[in-house]
Coordinates of all heavy atoms in Angstrom, one line a residue:
M1 N -40.6 -23.5 -9.6 CA -39.4 -23.6 -10.5 C -38.3 -24.4 -9.8 O -37.9 -24.1 -8.7 CB -38.9 -22.2 -10.8 CG -37.8 -22.2 -11.9 SD -36.8 -20.7 -11.9 CE -38.0 -19.4 -11.9
N2 N -37.8 -25.5 -10.5 CA -36.7 -26.2 -9.9 C -35.6 -26.5 -10.9 O -34.6 -27.2 -10.5 CB -37.2 -27.4 -9.1 CG -38.1 -28.3 -9.9 OD1 -38.1 -28.2 -11.2 ND2 -38.8 -29.2 -9.3
K3 N -35.8 -26.1 -12.1 CA -34.8 -26.3 -13.1 C -34.4 -25.0 -13.9 O -35.3 -24.2 -14.1 CB -35.2 -27.4 -14.2 CG -34.9 -28.8 -13.7 CD -35.1 -29.8 -14.8 CE -34.6 -31.2 -14.4 NZ -35.2 -32.2 -15.2
C4 N -33.2 -24.9 -14.3 CA -32.7 -23.7 -15.0 C -33.3 -23.6 -16.4 O -33.3 -24.6 -17.1 CB -31.2 -23.8 -15.0 SG -30.5 -22.4 -16.0
Y5 N -33.8 -22.4 -16.7 CA -34.4 -22.3 -18.1 C -33.3 -22.3 -19.1 O -33.6 -22.7 -20.3 CB -35.1 -20.9 -18.2 CG -36.5 -20.9 -17.5 CD1 -36.8 -19.8 -16.7 CD2 -37.4 -21.9 -17.6 CE1 -38.0 -19.8 -16.0 CE2 -38.6 -21.9 -17.0 CZ -38.9 -20.8 -16.2 OH -40.1 -20.8 -15.5
Q6 N -32.1 -21.9 -18.8 CA -31.0 -21.8 -19.7 C -30.4 -23.2 -20.1 O -30.2 -23.5 -21.2 CB -29.9 -20.9 -19.2 CG -30.3 -19.5 -18.8 CD -30.7 -18.7 -19.9 OE1 -30.2 -18.8 -21.0 NE2 -31.7 -17.8 -19.7
C7 N -30.1 -24.0 -19.0 CA -29.4 -25.2 -19.3 C -30.0 -26.5 -18.7 O -29.5 -27.6 -18.8 CB -28.0 -25.1 -18.7 SG -27.9 -25.1 -16.9
G8 N -31.1 -26.3 -17.9 CA -31.8 -27.5 -17.3 C -31.1 -27.9 -16.0 O -31.5 -28.9 -15.4
G9 N -30.1 -27.2 -15.6 CA -29.4 -27.5 -14.3 C -30.3 -27.4 -13.1 O -31.3 -26.8 -13.1
K10 N -29.8 -27.9 -12.0 CA -30.5 -27.9 -10.7 C -30.4 -26.5 -10.1 O -29.3 -25.9 -10.2 CB -30.0 -28.9 -9.8 CG -31.0 -29.9 -9.3 CD -30.5 -30.8 -8.3 CE -31.4 -30.7 -7.0 NZ -30.9 -31.3 -5.8
L11 N -31.4 -26.0 -9.5 CA -31.4 -24.7 -8.8 C -31.3 -24.9 -7.3 O -31.9 -25.8 -6.7 CB -32.6 -23.9 -9.1 CG -32.9 -23.6 -10.6 CD1 -34.2 -22.9 -10.7 CD2 -31.8 -22.8 -11.2
K12 N -30.4 -24.1 -6.7 CA -30.4 -24.1 -5.2 C -30.7 -22.7 -4.7 O -30.4 -21.7 -5.3 CB -29.0 -24.6 -4.7 CG -27.9 -23.6 -5.0 CD -26.6 -24.0 -4.2 CE -25.6 -22.9 -4.3 NZ -24.6 -22.8 -5.1
R13 N -31.3 -22.7 -3.5 CA -31.7 -21.5 -2.8 C -30.4 -20.8 -2.2 O -29.6 -21.5 -1.6 CB -32.7 -21.7 -1.7 CG -34.0 -22.1 -2.2 CD -35.1 -22.1 -1.2 NE -36.4 -22.5 -1.8 CZ -37.1 -21.6 -2.4 NH1 -36.8 -20.3 -2.4 NH2 -38.2 -21.9 -3.0
E14 N -30.3 -19.5 -2.5 CA -29.2 -18.8 -1.9 C -29.5 -17.3 -1.8 O -30.2 -16.8 -2.6 CB -28.0 -19.0 -2.9 CG -26.6 -18.7 -2.3 CD -25.5 -18.9 -3.3 OE1 -25.4 -19.9 -3.9 OE2 -24.7 -17.9 -3.4
N15 N -29.1 -16.7 -0.7 CA -29.3 -15.3 -0.5 C -28.1 -14.6 -1.1 O -27.0 -14.9 -0.8 CB -29.4 -14.9 1.0 CG -30.8 -15.3 1.6 OD1 -31.6 -15.9 0.9 ND2 -31.0 -15.0 2.8
I16 N -28.4 -13.6 -2.0 CA -27.3 -13.0 -2.7 C -27.4 -11.5 -2.6 O -28.5 -10.9 -2.3 CB -27.3 -13.4 -4.2 CG1 -28.6 -13.0 -4.9 CG2 -26.9 -14.9 -4.4 CD1 -28.5 -13.2 -6.4
D17 N -26.3 -10.8 -2.9 CA -26.3 -9.3 -2.9 C -26.4 -8.9 -4.4 O -25.7 -9.4 -5.3 CB -25.0 -8.8 -2.4 CG -24.8 -9.1 -0.9 OD1 -25.8 -9.5 -0.3 OD2 -23.7 -9.1 -0.4
I18 N -27.3 -8.0 -4.7 CA -27.5 -7.5 -6.1 C -27.5 -6.0 -6.1 O -27.6 -5.3 -5.1 CB -28.8 -8.0 -6.7 CG1 -30.0 -7.5 -6.0 CG2 -28.8 -9.6 -6.8 CD1 -31.3 -7.8 -6.7
A19 N -27.3 -5.5 -7.3 CA -27.4 -4.0 -7.5 C -28.3 -3.8 -8.7 O -28.2 -4.5 -9.7 CB -26.0 -3.4 -7.7
R20 N -29.2 -2.8 -8.6 CA -30.1 -2.4 -9.7 C -30.0 -1.0 -10.1 O -30.0 -0.1 -9.2 CB -31.5 -2.7 -9.3 CG -31.9 -4.2 -9.3 CD -32.1 -4.7 -10.7 NE -32.0 -6.2 -10.7 CZ -33.0 -7.0 -10.5 NH1 -34.2 -6.5 -10.2 NH2 -32.9 -8.3 -10.6
Y21 N -29.9 -0.7 -11.3 CA -30.0 0.7 -11.8 C -31.5 1.1 -11.8 O -32.3 0.4 -12.3 CB -29.4 0.9 -13.1 CG -27.9 1.3 -13.1 CD1 -26.9 0.3 -13.4 CD2 -27.5 2.6 -12.7 CE1 -25.6 0.7 -13.3 CE2 -26.2 2.9 -12.6 CZ -25.2 2.0 -12.9 OH -23.9 2.3 -12.9
W22 N -31.8 2.3 -11.4 CA -33.1 2.9 -11.5 C -32.9 4.3 -12.1 O -32.5 5.2 -11.4 CB -33.8 3.0 -10.2 CG -35.3 3.1 -10.3 CD1 -36.0 4.3 -10.4 CD2 -36.2 2.1 -10.4 NE1 -37.3 4.0 -10.6 CE2 -37.5 2.7 -10.6 CE3 -36.2 0.7 -10.4 CZ2 -38.7 1.9 -10.7 CZ3 -37.3 -0.1 -10.5 CH2 -38.6 0.6 -10.7
G23 N -33.0 4.4 -13.4 CA -32.5 5.6 -14.0 C -31.0 5.8 -13.8 O -30.3 4.8 -14.1
K24 N -30.6 6.9 -13.2 CA -29.2 7.0 -12.9 C -28.8 6.6 -11.5 O -27.6 6.6 -11.1 CB -28.8 8.5 -13.1 CG -28.7 8.9 -14.6 CD -27.6 9.9 -14.9 CE -26.3 9.1 -15.3 NZ -25.2 10.0 -15.6
D25 N -29.8 6.2 -10.7 CA -29.5 5.8 -9.4 C -29.1 4.3 -9.4 O -29.7 3.5 -10.0 CB -30.7 5.9 -8.4 CG -31.0 7.4 -8.1 OD1 -30.0 8.1 -7.8 OD2 -32.1 7.8 -8.2
L26 N -28.1 4.0 -8.6 CA -27.7 2.6 -8.4 C -28.0 2.2 -7.0 O -27.6 2.8 -6.1 CB -26.2 2.4 -8.7 CG -25.7 1.0 -8.6 CD1 -26.3 0.0 -9.6 CD2 -24.1 0.9 -8.7
I27 N -28.8 1.1 -6.9 CA -29.3 0.7 -5.6 C -28.8 -0.7 -5.3 O -29.1 -1.6 -6.1 CB -30.8 0.8 -5.5 CG1 -31.2 2.3 -5.6 CG2 -31.3 0.2 -4.2 CD1 -32.6 2.5 -6.2
A28 N -28.1 -0.9 -4.1 CA -27.6 -2.2 -3.8 C -28.6 -2.9 -2.8 O -29.1 -2.2 -1.9 CB -26.3 -2.1 -3.1
L29 N -28.9 -4.1 -3.0 CA -29.8 -4.9 -2.1 C -29.0 -6.1 -1.6 O -28.5 -6.9 -2.4 CB -31.1 -5.3 -2.8 CG -32.0 -4.2 -3.4 CD1 -31.9 -4.2 -4.9 CD2 -33.4 -4.5 -3.0
N30 N -29.0 -6.2 -0.2 CA -28.3 -7.3 0.4 C -29.2 -8.5 0.8 O -30.4 -8.2 1.1 CB -27.5 -6.9 1.6 CG -26.4 -5.9 1.3 OD1 -26.0 -5.9 0.2 ND2 -25.9 -5.2 2.3
D31 N -28.7 -9.7 0.7 CA -29.4 -10.9 1.2 C -30.7 -11.1 0.5 O -31.8 -11.3 1.2 CB -29.6 -10.8 2.7 CG -28.3 -10.8 3.5 OD1 -27.4 -11.5 3.0 OD2 -28.2 -10.1 4.5
V32 N -30.8 -11.0 -0.8 CA -32.0 -11.3 -1.6 C -32.1 -12.8 -1.8 O -31.2 -13.4 -2.4 CB -31.9 -10.5 -2.9 CG1 -33.2 -10.7 -3.7 CG2 -31.7 -9.0 -2.7
P33 N -33.2 -13.4 -1.4 CA -33.4 -14.8 -1.6 C -33.5 -15.1 -3.1 O -34.3 -14.4 -3.8 CB -34.8 -15.1 -1.0 CG -35.1 -13.9 -0.1 CD -34.4 -12.8 -0.8
S34 N -32.7 -16.0 -3.6 CA -32.7 -16.3 -5.1 C -32.6 -17.8 -5.3 O -32.3 -18.5 -4.4 CB -31.6 -15.5 -5.8 OG -30.3 -16.2 -5.5
L35 N -32.8 -18.1 -6.6 CA -32.5 -19.5 -7.0 C -31.3 -19.5 -8.0 O -31.4 -18.8 -9.0 CB -33.7 -20.1 -7.7 CG -35.0 -20.2 -6.8 CD1 -36.2 -20.4 -7.6 CD2 -34.8 -21.4 -5.8
V36 N -30.2 -20.1 -7.6 CA -29.0 -20.1 -8.4 C -28.8 -21.4 -9.1 O -28.9 -22.5 -8.4 CB -27.8 -19.7 -7.6 CG1 -26.5 -19.6 -8.4 CG2 -28.0 -18.4 -6.9
C37 N -28.5 -21.4 -10.4 CA -28.3 -22.7 -11.1 C -26.9 -23.2 -10.7 O -25.9 -22.5 -10.7 CB -28.3 -22.5 -12.6 SG -27.9 -23.9 -13.6
T38 N -26.9 -24.5 -10.3 CA -25.6 -25.1 -9.9 C -24.7 -25.4 -11.0 O -23.5 -25.7 -10.9 CB -25.9 -26.4 -9.1 OG1 -26.7 -27.3 -9.9 CG2 -26.6 -26.1 -7.8
K39 N -25.2 -25.3 -12.3 CA -24.4 -25.7 -13.5 C -23.9 -24.4 -14.1 O -22.7 -24.3 -14.3 CB -25.3 -26.4 -14.5 CG -24.7 -27.7 -15.0 CD -25.7 -28.6 -15.6 CE -25.3 -29.0 -17.1 NZ -26.4 -29.7 -17.7
C40 N -24.8 -23.5 -14.5 CA -24.3 -22.3 -15.3 C -24.3 -21.0 -14.4 O -23.8 -20.0 -14.9 CB -25.1 -22.1 -16.5 SG -26.8 -21.4 -16.2
G41 N -24.8 -21.0 -13.2 CA -24.7 -19.9 -12.4 C -25.8 -18.8 -12.6 O -25.9 -17.8 -12.0
E42 N -26.7 -19.1 -13.6 CA -27.9 -18.2 -13.8 C -28.7 -18.0 -12.5 O -28.8 -18.9 -11.8 CB -28.7 -18.8 -14.9 CG -29.9 -17.9 -15.4 CD -29.4 -16.7 -16.2 OE1 -28.3 -16.7 -16.8 OE2 -30.1 -15.7 -16.2
R43 N -29.1 -16.7 -12.3 CA -29.9 -16.5 -11.1 C -31.3 -16.1 -11.4 O -31.6 -15.4 -12.4 CB -29.2 -15.3 -10.3 CG -27.7 -15.6 -10.1 CD -27.1 -14.5 -9.3 NE -27.1 -13.2 -9.9 CZ -26.4 -12.2 -9.4 NH1 -25.6 -12.4 -8.4 NH2 -26.4 -11.1 -10.0
Y44 N -32.2 -16.6 -10.6 CA -33.6 -16.3 -10.8 C -34.2 -15.8 -9.5 O -33.7 -16.1 -8.4 CB -34.4 -17.6 -11.2 CG -33.9 -18.2 -12.4 CD1 -32.9 -19.2 -12.4 CD2 -34.4 -17.8 -13.7 CE1 -32.4 -19.8 -13.6 CE2 -33.9 -18.4 -14.8 CZ -33.0 -19.4 -14.8 OH -32.5 -19.9 -16.0
F45 N -35.3 -15.0 -9.6 CA -36.0 -14.5 -8.5 C -37.4 -15.0 -8.6 O -38.0 -14.9 -9.7 CB -35.9 -13.0 -8.3 CG -34.5 -12.5 -8.2 CD1 -33.9 -11.9 -9.2 CD2 -33.8 -12.7 -7.0 CE1 -32.6 -11.5 -9.1 CE2 -32.5 -12.3 -6.8 CZ -31.9 -11.7 -7.9
E46 N -38.0 -15.5 -7.5 CA -39.4 -15.8 -7.5 C -40.2 -14.5 -7.6 O -39.8 -13.4 -7.2 CB -39.8 -16.5 -6.2 CG -39.2 -17.9 -6.2 CD -39.3 -18.6 -4.8 OE1 -38.8 -18.0 -3.9 OE2 -39.8 -19.7 -4.7
A47 N -41.5 -14.6 -8.1 CA -42.3 -13.4 -8.4 C -42.5 -12.5 -7.2 O -42.4 -11.3 -7.2 CB -43.7 -13.9 -8.9
K48 N -42.7 -13.2 -6.0 CA -42.9 -12.4 -4.8 C -41.6 -11.7 -4.4 O -41.7 -10.6 -3.8 CB -43.4 -13.3 -3.6 CG -42.5 -14.4 -3.3 CD -43.0 -15.2 -2.0 CE -41.9 -16.2 -1.6 NZ -42.3 -17.4 -1.1
V49 N -40.5 -12.3 -4.7 CA -39.2 -11.6 -4.4 C -39.0 -10.4 -5.3 O -38.6 -9.4 -4.9 CB -38.0 -12.6 -4.4 CG1 -36.7 -11.9 -4.3 CG2 -38.2 -13.7 -3.4
S50 N -39.3 -10.6 -6.6 CA -39.2 -9.6 -7.6 C -40.0 -8.3 -7.2 O -39.5 -7.2 -7.3 CB -39.7 -10.0 -9.0 OG -38.7 -10.9 -9.5
S51 N -41.2 -8.6 -6.7 CA -42.1 -7.4 -6.4 C -41.5 -6.8 -5.1 O -41.6 -5.6 -4.9 CB -43.5 -7.7 -6.2 OG -43.7 -9.0 -5.7
K52 N -40.9 -7.6 -4.2 CA -40.3 -7.0 -3.0 C -39.1 -6.1 -3.4 O -38.8 -5.1 -2.8 CB -39.9 -8.1 -2.1 CG -39.6 -7.7 -0.7 CD -40.5 -8.3 0.3 CE -40.4 -7.6 1.7 NZ -41.4 -8.2 2.6
I53 N -38.3 -6.6 -4.4 CA -37.2 -5.8 -4.9 C -37.7 -4.4 -5.3 O -37.1 -3.4 -5.0 CB -36.4 -6.5 -6.0 CG1 -35.7 -7.8 -5.5 CG2 -35.4 -5.6 -6.7 CD1 -35.2 -8.7 -6.5
D54 N -38.7 -4.4 -6.2 CA -39.3 -3.2 -6.6 C -39.8 -2.3 -5.5 O -39.6 -1.1 -5.5 CB -40.5 -3.4 -7.6 CG -40.0 -4.1 -8.9 OD1 -38.8 -4.0 -9.2 OD2 -40.8 -4.6 -9.6
E55 N -40.4 -2.9 -4.5 CA -40.9 -2.2 -3.3 C -39.8 -1.5 -2.6 O -39.9 -0.4 -2.2 CB -41.5 -3.3 -2.3 CG -42.9 -3.1 -2.0 CD -43.4 -4.3 -1.1 OE1 -43.0 -4.4 0.0 OE2 -44.2 -5.1 -1.7
R56 N -38.7 -2.3 -2.4 CA -37.5 -1.7 -1.7 C -36.9 -0.6 -2.4 O -36.6 0.5 -1.8 CB -36.4 -2.8 -1.5 CG -36.7 -3.8 -0.4 CD -36.5 -3.2 0.9 NE -36.7 -4.2 2.0 CZ -37.9 -4.5 2.5 NH1 -39.0 -3.9 2.1 NH2 -38.0 -5.4 3.5
I57 N -36.8 -0.7 -3.7 CA -36.3 0.4 -4.6 C -37.2 1.6 -4.5 O -36.7 2.7 -4.3 CB -36.1 -0.1 -6.0 CG1 -34.9 -1.1 -6.1 CG2 -35.8 1.1 -7.0 CD1 -34.8 -1.8 -7.4
Q58 N -38.5 1.4 -4.5 CA -39.4 2.5 -4.4 C -39.2 3.2 -3.1 O -39.3 4.4 -2.9 CB -40.9 2.0 -4.5 CG -41.3 1.6 -5.9 CD -41.1 2.8 -6.9 OE1 -41.3 3.9 -6.6 NE2 -40.8 2.4 -8.2
G59 N -39.0 2.4 -2.0 CA -38.8 2.9 -0.7 C -37.6 3.8 -0.6 O -37.6 4.9 0.1
V60 N -36.5 3.4 -1.3 CA -35.3 4.3 -1.4 C -35.6 5.6 -2.1 O -35.2 6.6 -1.6 CB -34.1 3.5 -2.1 CG1 -32.9 4.4 -2.3 CG2 -33.7 2.3 -1.3
L61 N -36.3 5.5 -3.2 CA -36.5 6.6 -4.0 C -37.5 7.6 -3.4 O -37.3 8.8 -3.5 CB -37.0 6.2 -5.4 CG -36.1 5.3 -6.2 CD1 -36.8 4.9 -7.5 CD2 -34.8 6.0 -6.5
E62 N -38.6 7.1 -2.8 CA -39.6 8.0 -2.2 C -39.3 8.4 -0.8 O -39.6 9.5 -0.4 CB -41.0 7.2 -2.3 CG -41.5 7.1 -3.7 CD -42.6 6.0 -3.8 OE1 -43.1 5.6 -2.7 OE2 -42.9 5.6 -4.9
R63 N -38.8 7.5 0.0 CA -38.7 7.9 1.4 C -37.2 7.9 1.9 O -36.9 8.1 3.1 CB -39.4 6.8 2.3 CG -40.9 6.8 2.0 CD -41.6 5.8 3.0 NE -41.2 4.5 2.9 CZ -41.6 3.6 1.9 NH1 -42.5 4.0 1.0 NH2 -41.1 2.4 1.9
R64 N -36.3 7.7 0.9 CA -34.9 7.7 1.2 C -34.6 6.7 2.4 O -33.8 7.0 3.3 CB -34.3 9.1 1.7 CG -34.7 10.2 0.7 CD -34.2 10.1 -0.7 NE -32.8 10.0 -0.8 CZ -32.1 9.6 -1.9 NH1 -32.8 9.1 -2.9 NH2 -30.8 9.6 -2.0
S65 N -35.3 5.6 2.4 CA -35.1 4.6 3.4 C -34.1 3.6 3.0 O -34.3 2.7 2.1 CB -36.4 3.9 3.8 OG -36.9 3.2 2.7
F66 N -32.9 3.7 3.6 CA -31.8 2.7 3.3 C -30.9 2.6 4.5 O -30.9 3.5 5.4 CB -31.0 3.1 2.1 CG -30.6 4.5 2.0 CD1 -29.5 4.9 2.7 CD2 -31.3 5.4 1.2 CE1 -29.1 6.3 2.6 CE2 -30.9 6.7 1.1 CZ -29.8 7.2 1.8
I67 N -30.1 1.5 4.6 CA -29.3 1.3 5.8 C -28.0 1.9 5.8 O -27.4 2.2 6.8 CB -29.2 -0.2 6.2 CG1 -28.8 -1.0 5.0 CG2 -30.6 -0.8 6.7 CD1 -28.4 -2.5 5.3
E68 N -27.4 2.1 4.6 CA -26.1 2.7 4.5 C -25.9 3.2 3.0 O -26.6 2.8 2.1 CB -25.0 1.8 4.9 CG -24.6 0.7 3.9 CD -23.4 -0.1 4.3 OE1 -22.4 0.4 4.7 OE2 -23.5 -1.4 4.3
K69 N -24.9 4.1 2.9 CA -24.5 4.6 1.6 C -23.1 4.2 1.3 O -22.2 4.4 2.2 CB -24.7 6.1 1.5 CG -25.8 6.5 0.6 CD -25.9 8.0 0.4 CE -26.6 8.2 -1.0 NZ -27.0 9.5 -1.2
I70 N -22.8 3.7 0.1 CA -21.4 3.3 -0.2 C -20.9 4.0 -1.4 O -21.7 4.4 -2.3 CB -21.2 1.8 -0.4 CG1 -22.2 1.3 -1.4 CG2 -21.5 1.0 1.0 CD1 -22.0 -0.2 -1.9
D71 N -19.6 4.2 -1.5 CA -19.0 4.7 -2.7 C -18.8 3.6 -3.7 O -18.3 2.5 -3.3 CB -17.6 5.4 -2.4 CG -17.8 6.7 -1.7 OD1 -18.7 7.4 -2.0 OD2 -16.9 7.0 -0.9
V72 N -19.1 3.9 -4.9 CA -18.9 2.8 -6.0 C -18.0 3.3 -7.1 O -18.2 4.3 -7.7 CB -20.3 2.5 -6.6 CG1 -20.2 1.4 -7.7 CG2 -21.3 2.1 -5.6
P73 N -16.9 2.5 -7.3 CA -16.0 2.9 -8.4 C -16.7 2.7 -9.8 O -17.4 1.8 -10.0 CB -14.8 1.9 -8.3 CG -15.1 1.1 -7.0 CD -16.5 1.3 -6.7
V74 N -16.4 3.6 -10.7 CA -17.0 3.5 -12.0 C -15.8 3.6 -13.0 O -14.9 4.4 -12.9 CB -17.9 4.7 -12.3 CG1 -18.5 4.7 -13.7 CG2 -19.1 4.8 -11.3
V75 N -15.9 2.6 -14.0 CA -14.8 2.6 -15.0 C -15.5 2.7 -16.4 O -16.6 2.2 -16.6 CB -13.9 1.4 -14.9 CG1 -13.1 1.4 -13.7 CG2 -14.7 0.1 -15.0
Q76 N -14.7 3.2 -17.3 CA -15.2 3.2 -18.7 C -14.7 1.9 -19.4 O -13.5 1.6 -19.2 CB -14.6 4.4 -19.5 CG -15.0 4.6 -20.9 CD -16.4 5.2 -21.0 OE1 -16.7 6.2 -20.3 NE2 -17.3 4.6 -21.8
F77 N -15.6 1.1 -20.0 CA -15.2 -0.1 -20.6 C -14.6 0.0 -22.0 O -15.1 0.8 -22.8 CB -16.4 -1.1 -20.7 CG -16.0 -2.4 -21.1 CD1 -15.3 -3.3 -20.3 CD2 -16.4 -2.9 -22.3 CE1 -15.0 -4.6 -20.7 CE2 -16.1 -4.2 -22.8 CZ -15.4 -5.0 -22.0
Ligands
LIG101 ZN1 -28.2 -23.2 -15.8

């Protein structure tokens, strides 16, 4: 993949921090390799990265394996 599905813009490789909900659990993942559109900012993950994200989340849920715990502010929109 080298072009954005949304706008056709160029994609650049960048490690980003993301957060994923898993049920009611919110899990933050740091330094995830991604492809970011230089035009619209849309972010993509390669298939192998997506499965690694799922793997990491499973690790947190099953083995409580994580590097730190942070407080997250929640607001009603
Ligand atoms: Zn784009």
Side-chain angles (χ1 to χ4, degrees):
M1 187 201 307
N2 48 20
K3 271 191 176 163
C4 177
Y5 286 134
Q6 305 294 326
C7 74
K10 242 187 121 191
L11 299 177
K12 67 166 191 269
R13 289 188 178 278
E14 198 180 309
N15 285 3
I16 59 171
D17 298 341
I18 62 169
R20 285 285 164 83
Y21 269 105
W22 198 272
K24 286 215 92 178
D25 287 316
L26 181 64
I27 295 151
L29 298 106
N30 291 345
D31 296 323
V32 181
S34 73
L35 296 164
V36 182
C37 176
T38 53
K39 227 163 129 187
C40 74
E42 185 70 24
R43 306 184 300 192
Y44 300 94
F45 299 105
E46 290 165 306
K48 61 174 187 216
V49 175
S50 289
S51 36
K52 195 117 193 178
I53 290 172
D54 291 343
E55 239 173 69
R56 283 286 184 276
I57 290 173
Q58 288 302 330
V60 173
L61 299 176
E62 289 163 12
R63 299 185 299 279
R64 312 300 296 165
S65 62
F66 47 81
I67 52 171
E68 76 176 309
K69 247 188 157 169
I70 56 171
D71 284 326
V72 180
V74 178
V75 293
Q76 184 78 47
F77 185 68

